[in-house]
Amino acid sequence: MLTRKQLKLLDFIKTRMDVDGVPPSFDEMKDALDLRSKSGIHRLITALEERGFIRRLAHRARALEIIKLPDAMDKPGFTPRVIEGDKPAAPQPRAALAVETVHALELPVMGRIAAGVPIEAISEVSHHVAVPGSMLAGRGNHYALEVKGDSMIEAGINDGDIVVIREQNTAENGDIVVALVDDAEATLKRFRRRGNMIALEAANPAYETRVLPDHQVKVQGRLVGLIRSY
């Protein structure tokens, strides 16, 4: 799940590497995204690295390597869904709307999930929500949760948003997951494994990272999409 600027930067890096064989400089990235300073590029690069799309290589000039690309850059006709930031681009005229772009599935909304202090575990369906089929990540069961709190706000997840979760019990470092703590509290946080400890990181400096023994944390699912109401 990428913001519009993150996706634009990744596409620019890929295009330049395809043409020149090396990544663009930070100045070139800044100009391509029309940013005033390179600090914004540093933040975007860090976000792409945390999400596993690129890797910075030590002791090399322009040391960036693309590890993977989002489906949006591999599948013609697919329009990526962004989570926050820029205004949506004006739609381009089309002769006809493809059927697959309007396909939607009904997912159960399993109550509220805390993006802040953990709340009681969620187990009951409160209602259903229509979700674009393109938002669902491959096979497996999916469900939705309403976000309560602001601890993930710098990841583009706001209080009141609906997050789409793929059910799974494993996670990679950097994934945003639904974590069950002590079989009693559910929370939405970024997952990091440190030996036999699990760090549940907020995306808001007002909240501290919780570090817990791995037996106290169970991954219930991974974030694959977000729906926002304005």
Side-chain angles (χ1 to χ4, degrees):
M1 190 172 61
L2 298 179
T3 66
R4 189 177 303 279
K5 285 192 179 295
Q6 289 165 3
L7 187 64
K8 183 176 180 180
L9 178 60
L10 184 60
D11 183 55
F12 178 66
I13 293 171
K14 180 182 182 300
T15 300
R16 287 294 303 271
M17 290 181 71
D18 288 344
V19 174
D20 300 334
V22 295
S25 67
F26 274 52
D27 282 324
E28 291 169 331
M29 295 184 218
K30 175 177 69 70
D31 293 341
L33 271 67
D34 195 26
L35 298 179
R36 294 184 178 181
S37 70
K38 289 189 285 188
S39 62
I41 295 297
H42 281 284
R43 287 194 294 270
L44 293 172
I45 290 290
T46 298
L48 290 172
E49 186 176 29
E50 289 179 347
R51 288 161 174 77
F53 290 98
I54 65 172
R55 175 167 55 202
R56 282 184 267 206
L57 306 175
H59 311 303
R60 288 177 53 184
R62 299 189 182 187
L64 294 178
E65 177 184 15
I66 293 178
I67 299 173
K68 65 179 182 179
L69 296 172
D71 290 342
M73 293 174 64
D74 285 334
K75 297 179 181 179
F78 178 82
T79 301
R81 298 187 176 275
V82 298
I83 56 177
E84 52 87 13
D86 303 334
K87 264 173 116 174
Q92 297 297 316
R94 296 187 181 184
L97 183 66
V99 173
E100 62 181 12
T101 64
V102 295
H103 175 63
L105 298 174
E106 290 281 329
L107 290 184
V109 179
M110 307 291 289
R112 307 185 81 183
I113 182 73
V117 179
I119 57 178
E120 292 183 359
I122 298 164
S123 60
E124 295 183 359
V125 176
S126 61
H127 61 285
H128 287 74
V129 64
V131 174
S134 58
M135 186 179 288
L136 305 184
R139 298 180 181 179
N141 296 323
H142 295 76
Y143 59 92
L145 295 166
E146 182 183 353
V147 174
K148 176 180 174 62
D150 62 356
S151 74
M152 298 302 291
I153 194 168
E154 291 189 3
I157 303 171
N158 297 337
D159 183 58
D161 286 347
I162 299 292
V163 289
V164 179
I165 305 296
R166 182 185 188 276
E167 285 188 18
Q168 59 186 70
N169 57 17
T170 61
E172 297 181 3
N173 284 342
D175 286 346
I176 296 176
V177 303
V178 173
L180 188 64
V181 179
D182 289 329
D183 291 321
E185 300 173 331
T187 188
L188 186 73
K189 292 290 182 292
R190 195 176 299 281
F191 176 95
R192 304 277 183 192
R193 177 174 288 278
R194 302 173 181 174
N196 62 352
M197 305 293 285
I198 301 296
L200 299 176
E201 297 178 352
N204 182 335
Y207 294 83
E208 294 184 356
T209 296
R210 299 183 71 192
V211 181
L212 301 163
D214 56 8
H215 68 269
Q216 291 184 232
V217 179
K218 294 179 181 178
V219 174
Q220 302 285 286
R222 179 175 62 86
L223 178 74
V224 297
L226 183 145
I227 302 170
R228 176 163 299 155
S229 296
Y230 292 93

